[in-house]
């Protein structure tokens, strides 16, 4: 779905196949771009060419459950151990012993945790919008219910079939809204939001077509593994992320209210930059591509210089 590069089907260790676009000459350091929810590899369209032109071999998957990639039925097929193995399989497929990970939203969580769980395979890691959050003292969903309530969107996502039905009822409305999904938003289904200011009607149509075809079950399954991920990461609970790192977020990103970047202090030990892009929201790499690309390329250039 990107305008440049080659398109591939890559088989993962469990047999699922991911749709992957690649840009850049063989031999460059492999750089994986991992998107979030509800997004696609297409979400990196403004970053792919500048990164490839800087000499990187840029690998851009639709993550499992999204777009043209397979969407396994089992919820456990979206747990963090599986997602991290997908990243390692993509590095293997690209013939890279180690690579650089850049993720946004859920892709950021996958990037951070792959660097945390498999440090020998990750040269450096950047997270957009979602910082690395140390392992909670108790299962996270209970903490969310206690502190954020039953209507908090991540809690609302937990009941299989409920959010899928609401989000799929009017896919364009779901993807274009500026409101946070939840029971209140679900009850008010008469609004027709305009195309987001940071994309064209044609770009929005790419997402609408994809999610009308796939539905939202795959992406929602990531949220339904939050407590399972907490259990799976117990062996790494005291481990730090020591690779060179970057965190970048939008000034108006609502995620900052409940996932503050300060949580990384002492846990991401080589955080070389923490960037807040003025007047940008959660979809920062699409909303503000020029400052995002400048920050990414500056950080990457610093890695080359040591």
């Amino acid at each position: 779905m990107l305008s440049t590069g080659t398109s591939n089907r890559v088989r993962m260790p469990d047999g699922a196949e991911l749709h992957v676009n690649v840009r850049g000459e063989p031999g460059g350091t492999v750089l994986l771009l991992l998107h979030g929810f509800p997004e696609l590899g297409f979400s990196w369209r403004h970053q792919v060419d500048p990164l490839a032109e800087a000499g990187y071999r840029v690998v851009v998957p639709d993550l499992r459950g999204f777009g043209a990639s397979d969407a396994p039925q089992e919820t456990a097929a979206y747990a963090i151990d599986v997602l991290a193995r997908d990243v390692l399989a993509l590095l293997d497929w690209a013939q890279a012993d180690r690579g650089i990970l850049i993720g946004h939203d859920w892709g950021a969580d996958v990037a951070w945790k792959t660097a945390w769980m498999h440090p020998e395979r990750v040269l450096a890691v950047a997270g957009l919008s979602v910082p690395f959050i140390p392992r909670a003292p108790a299962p996270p969903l209970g903490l969310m219910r206690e502190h954020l309530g039953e209507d908090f969107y991540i809690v609302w996502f937990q009941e299989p079939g409920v959010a899928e039905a609401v989000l799929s009822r009017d896919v364009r409305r779901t993807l274009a809204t500026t409101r946070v999904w939840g029971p209140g938003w679900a009850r008010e289904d008469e609004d027709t939001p305009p195309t987001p200011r940071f994309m064209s009607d044609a770009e929005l149509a790419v997402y609408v077509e994809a999610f009308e075809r796939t539905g939202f079950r795959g992406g929602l399954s990531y949220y339904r593994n939050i407590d399972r991920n907490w259990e799976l990461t117990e062996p790494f609970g005291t481990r730090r992320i020591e690779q060179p790192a970057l965190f970048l977020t939008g000034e108006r990103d609502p995620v900052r209210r409940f996932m503050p970047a300060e949580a990384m202090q002492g846990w991401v030990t080589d955080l070389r930059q923490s960037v807040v892009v003025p007047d940008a929201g959660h979809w920062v790499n699409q909303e503000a591509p020029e400052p995002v690309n400048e920050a990414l390329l500056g950080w990457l250039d610093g890695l080359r210089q040591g």
Side-chain angles (χ1 to χ4, degrees), residues 240 263-269:
R240 271 55 177 171
M264 292 186 289
Q265 286 187 335
W267 291 92
V268 180
T269 62

Side-chain angles (χ1 to χ4, degrees), residues 193-246:
T195 296
R197 59 180 176 82
F198 55 87
M199 66 174 65
S200 67
D201 290 343
E203 288 171 328
L204 177 59
V206 171
Y207 294 100
V208 172
E209 183 280 327
F211 284 96
E212 285 183 340
R213 176 170 46 80
T214 66
F216 292 86
R217 177 186 56 81
L220 291 167
S221 296
Y222 286 59
Y223 295 90
R224 292 170 185 160
N225 277 283
I226 286 175
D227 279 355
R228 181 181 281 111
N229 293 346
W230 181 81
E231 295 172 0
L232 290 167
T233 56
E234 189 276 335
F236 312 101
T238 61
R239 181 183 289 179
R240 271 55 177 171
I241 292 177
E242 297 179 342
Q243 297 94 326
L246 164 74

Side-chain angles (χ1 to χ4, degrees), residues 140-156 254-255 257-259:
L141 285 174
L143 298 175
M144 290 181 190
R145 286 189 167 95
E146 179 182 353
H147 296 288
L148 299 169
E150 290 291 334
D151 287 352
F152 182 58
Y153 76 100
I154 293 175
V155 176
W156 181 64
V255 174
R257 294 198 293 268
F258 60 91
M259 298 182 79

